[in-house]
């Protein structure tokens, strides 16, 4: 009863002793409220820990993706430098377009026919 009076803001108030039944009921009520408060606090803490873990995992994934992108960029940069360093004589310096050489730069599988030509057979129509 003294604890309840202190919580309510009554300091130094004289409290007459409770009978055993009233004291047990008040103690049970106080214990129940403390348990509910404790469970609520535990739930809040667990939710906070879950959110913090998810944020940390998300940041780690983003950092890993950034490292991967940097590695790929460095690898591409080295390849470009290697190609620029291995350019044959007569090719234009870096940043300028080279003169046409007559070789066909078309990738494998591309149609090597000049644009505007018709690769269809003569006769003009489908075969019957």
């Amino acid at each position: 009863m003294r604890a309840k009076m202190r919580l309510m803001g009554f300091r130094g108030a004289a409290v007459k002793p409770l009978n055993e039944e009233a004291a047990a009921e008040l103690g049970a009520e106080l214990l129940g409220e403390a348990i509910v408060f404790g469970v609520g606090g535990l739930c809040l803490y667990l939710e906070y820990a879950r959110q913090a873990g998810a944020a940390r995992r998300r940041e780690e994934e983003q950092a890993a993706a950034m490292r991967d992108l940097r590695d790929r960029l460095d690898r591409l940069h080295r390849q470009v430098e290697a190609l620029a360093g291995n350019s044959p004589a007569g090719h234009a310096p870096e940043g300028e377009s080279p003169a046409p050489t007559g070789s066909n730069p078309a990738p494998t599988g591309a149609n090597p026919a000049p644009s505007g030509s018709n690769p269809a057979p003569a006769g003009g129509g489908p075969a019957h």
Side-chain angles (χ1 to χ4, degrees):
M1 190 63 180
R2 284 189 205 114
K4 185 175 181 181
M5 293 299 279
R6 283 187 198 129
L7 287 173
M8 291 172 39
F10 296 109
R11 303 275 181 219
V15 177
K16 51 184 183 173
L18 295 175
N19 63 22
E20 203 160 313
E21 185 179 317
E25 186 176 320
L26 188 59
E29 185 179 325
L30 186 63
L31 182 62
E33 289 177 8
I35 289 173
V36 168
F37 182 75
V39 168
L42 180 64
C43 288
L44 285 174
Y45 172 76
L46 291 175
E47 181 62 21
Y48 172 78
R50 187 180 72 83
Q51 291 292 329
R56 187 179 61 246
R57 280 189 300 278
R58 196 169 28 252
E59 288 173 4
E60 289 171 357
E61 289 172 0
Q62 288 176 347
M66 287 295 288
R67 280 192 303 273
D68 183 46
L69 288 173
R70 271 193 217 110
D71 291 345
R72 289 175 58 194
L73 183 62
D74 289 343
R75 188 172 46 246
L76 289 172
H77 186 69
R78 285 192 302 270
Q79 288 176 350
V80 166
E81 286 178 349
L83 290 174
N86 292 337
S87 63
H91 278 255
E94 191 173 323
E96 296 179 20
S97 60
T101 59
S103 64
N104 187 2
T108 307
N111 186 1
S115 62
S117 66
N118 186 3
H128 293 285

